[in-house]
Amino acid sequence: ADLVAAALEELRVRDAVVVGHSLGGSVVTGLAERSPQLVRKAVIVDTPPSHKGDSLGLVAKLGFAPVIGEFFWRVKPGFAVRKGLEVAFAPGFDVPDEFVEDVNRMTYSSYHDSPEGSGDYTDEEGLDQRMKESGKPLLVIMGAEEQIVADPAERLAEYRATVPGVRTKLIAGAGHSPNVEKPAVTAALVLSFA
């Protein structure tokens, strides 16, 4: 959040509509908390208020296992990366090659530490409560065929129960990445909110 704030300050951006997907939902929330002058509205895509009951799937979980995870990361074959990424989309959606390439460019520490940091952040206080306290208008989007976030409809209800005026949308036919799976629908929602 601080890095994004520094970039926005450098660009002299104020009152931005900021959008965060997955772990980016924590970044957007942190930005709204720490640099409220930069944020007019926030959009969170497939980030639950907390990570209770969520699952990355077996292949992705291997990367977080002590000792084995770092070894697996160093020797990971492309098919294993692709298989691990399947949970980021609705069942049957073809994992884009760009996603496999992005994972292959990541360092082990970024793969391991980013989700851990997001979990620590939401364990301290949920994103729903943090966004309520920020007072910023909020749109939360989730894919109906989500494979990482447990019960996306229920998770959207958590935001509605906590954040006054929050808008929520469950996108049919999309999993954890509606911005990739249903880009026109996702873009239309963000633009109408903005």
Side-chain angles (χ1 to χ4, degrees), residues 41-152:
K41 294 182 176 184
V43 180
I44 294 174
V45 182
D46 278 272
T47 313
S50 69
H51 295 288
K52 65 179 182 184
D54 299 342
S55 175
L56 291 172
L58 178 62
V59 175
K61 280 183 192 176
L62 283 175
F64 294 99
V67 182
I68 294 170
E70 193 163 359
F71 172 77
F72 180 71
W73 187 261
R74 291 175 193 217
V75 298
K76 63 189 180 296
F79 75 87
V81 172
R82 188 171 299 280
K83 183 71 177 163
L85 285 169
E86 286 178 357
V87 297
F89 305 95
F93 188 85
D94 289 332
V95 175
D97 292 338
E98 295 86 358
F99 278 66
V100 175
E101 293 165 12
D102 285 347
V103 168
N104 285 331
R105 283 193 295 268
M106 289 176 73
T107 63
Y108 177 73
S109 60
S110 66
Y111 174 78
H112 181 272
D113 296 351
S114 296
E116 189 175 276
S118 179
D120 290 347
Y121 182 66
T122 60
D123 287 349
E124 238 177 61
E125 185 173 37
L127 300 187
D128 53 346
Q129 186 61 40
R130 290 174 183 274
M131 286 305 302
K132 176 185 175 184
E133 291 167 6
S134 80
K136 300 296 180 181
L138 176 64
L139 168 65
V140 183
I141 301 168
M142 288 196 181
E145 296 184 49
E146 174 67 65
Q147 297 188 82
I148 296 173
V149 176
D151 197 353

Side-chain angles (χ1 to χ4, degrees), residues 42-45 137-141 166-169 186 189-190 193:
V43 180
I44 294 174
V45 182
L138 176 64
L139 168 65
V140 183
I141 301 168
V166 65
R167 294 186 200 175
T168 62
K169 180 65 176 176
T186 305
L189 288 167
V190 171
F193 178 68

Side-chain angles (χ1 to χ4, degrees), residues 171-184:
I171 299 180
H176 188 70
S177 303
N179 47 315
V180 175
E181 299 164 274
K182 301 284 184 180

